[in-house]
Amino acid sequence: MTTTESQDLKVFISSRESVCDECGEELGRHAWIVLAGERGALCLACADLDHLLFLPSGDAALTRRARARSVLSAVVLKWSRARKRYERQGLLVEAGALDQAEQECLADEDARARRREREAARRAELDQQYVQRFALRVRELYPRIPPGREVAIAEHACLKYSGRVGRSAEAKSLDEQAIRLAVVAHIRHTETRYDELLAAGHERWEARAEVEGAMARVLARWEAA
Ligand SMILES: [Zn+2]
């Protein structure tokens, strides 16, 4: 079996104003999009890739390791007007895979410094008060969620909320349905084979149907008071 670049999931950094054809969100210029055939262009949230972290090209060893460790990954490409071709900007990988890959590279002091920089940049983007409020709401609605998960879900929601053009009001993002959607997405990615199925080339609707039962069981367990 050969793995060629053409089979990788691809994310394009758009060069013009984009709108997501699924959620209708205005994504602005230079949006990160996934092309989904006749369904048009999707934002990363709708494509279910927005839980992945961006690892810029440049560190070949780290990139190779992170990719090998990541069940789901995507190549990020940008059109170069000068060279008239798509150029690779880096990879989207799972946070856990990046952590592991960094551990493996830790012998090297530069890798440690880069990791600190990445973590600082990520934290700087987060509105800590919003994260706290969101995490509290998650725990309120899902009292049996394993400790710490509510923070992971809240941080993710916060990045998404702050990174969006035309974002909805904060109150709306904290209503029960919005919290539920965030928890469901988290369960799919962390507690089911969903990412494996996407990585194997399944359509999202197929993969969602496949893991529906497993997802619902975890949700019911976390909900129970
Ligand atoms: Zn969308």
Side-chain angles (χ1 to χ4, degrees), residues 19-25 27 41-47 164:
V19 174
C20 174
D21 285 308
E22 191 157 306
C23 66
E25 190 97 35
L27 305 169
L42 304 181
C43 72
L44 292 191
C46 288
R164 289 234 164 159

